[in-house]
Amino acid sequence: SGREERAFYRPLRNLDPGQVPVPDGIRHWTLPPLDRRKPMSTRALDVIRDEHRALAGMLTALRTLVREVAAGRAGPDFGLLRAIVFYVHAFPEKLHHPKESGLLFRALRDRGAAAAAVAATLDRLDDEHLRGEASVMRLAMALLEYEQLGESHRAAFADAVEAYGDAYLRHMQLEEREVLPLAERLLSEDDWRTIDAAFAHNRDPLTGHVPEQPYRELFSRLVALAPAPLGLGPPSRCAA
């Protein structure tokens, strides 16, 4: 049933933020708890934060898998690694970033002097969004080289995973700390109606939505094998 499918996909919105492990060097960052009592006009912020949690969890799962291989505790599961990289490209890059830049950031810029404090931050985040496609393609190519050329390319892929994860988590940290709180204070009800409507169409399976049919089998496997608490696999041993 639809209810059972939704339960299987374990929406991250119900997780304590402290349960989502954060990679080494970014341990000071924890996403703020979600407040489900907020008015309808800030629903888009809940979607953004839910999607941040999903992506943080997937990046940590990716790092966990790579570190387990390096430690000799597991062999590489290239199918799962490809599924995670595919997720990063198909959902955050294609759905999440364009709406942040095209709607949320633009609305803040329209506030002029009131949003001047984050002008440089918005420019930086937009630039990172523009470079996101190329970044995930480099990660995918490093994975392909590892899979096709063998162990001699494992370290290069591991380095690419660490660099990509660190950069992406810092990107989300900047949005959470500087941009989202200001947007909540400055944007009007009309702004939020437009932004809410756009983000309401996001259907990221890792935020509790049942994936569309072409993706259903892929995400069933992804969630079944990803480390807990994000998925149903064994808890991560690399967060310590």
Side-chain angles (χ1 to χ4, degrees), residues 7-12 15 19-21 53-54 56-62 64-65 80 84 205-206 219-236:
F8 177 75
Y9 283 94
R10 301 184 65 183
L12 284 178
L15 282 178
Q19 289 181 289
V20 179
R53 281 169 172 75
M58 273 294 99
L59 293 176
T60 299
L62 180 61
T64 293
L65 294 167
L80 180 56
I84 294 174
L206 296 185
F219 280 95
S220 293
R221 182 170 184 270
L222 181 59
V223 174
L225 296 178
L230 180 70
L232 303 177
S236 166

Side-chain angles (χ1 to χ4, degrees), residues 22-41:
V22 178
D24 296 340
I26 317 179
R27 294 187 181 278
H28 61 279
W29 174 44
T30 56
L31 289 169
L34 297 187
D35 183 356
R36 294 293 164 180
R37 299 168 298 177
K38 287 179 179 178
M40 186 174 181
S41 63

Side-chain angles (χ1 to χ4, degrees), residues 195-216:
I195 296 167
D196 286 350
F199 275 94
H201 292 291
N202 285 18
R203 305 294 296 174
D204 186 334
L206 296 185
T207 62
H209 297 291
V210 177
E212 296 176 2
Q213 188 59 45
Y215 301 107
R216 194 163 298 186

Side-chain angles (χ1 to χ4, degrees), residues 147-222:
E147 182 175 12
Q148 297 299 318
L149 301 178
E151 176 64 19
S152 63
H153 287 258
R154 179 185 57 77
F157 174 61
D159 289 345
V161 167
E162 298 288 337
Y164 185 85
D166 283 353
Y168 219 137
L169 286 162
R170 289 192 176 97
H171 175 95
M172 292 188 292
Q173 176 189 22
L174 196 57
E175 290 177 340
E176 294 276 348
R177 284 186 168 175
E178 297 190 22
V179 176
L180 302 190
L182 189 62
E184 194 164 11
R185 293 197 301 272
L186 292 184
L187 299 189
S188 68
E189 289 292 326
D190 286 342
D191 291 327
W192 285 120
R193 273 192 288 272
T194 300
I195 296 167
D196 286 350
F199 275 94
H201 292 291
N202 285 18
R203 305 294 296 174
D204 186 334
L206 296 185
T207 62
H209 297 291
V210 177
E212 296 176 2
Q213 188 59 45
Y215 301 107
R216 194 163 298 186
E217 183 176 349
L218 169 69
F219 280 95
S220 293
R221 182 170 184 270
L222 181 59

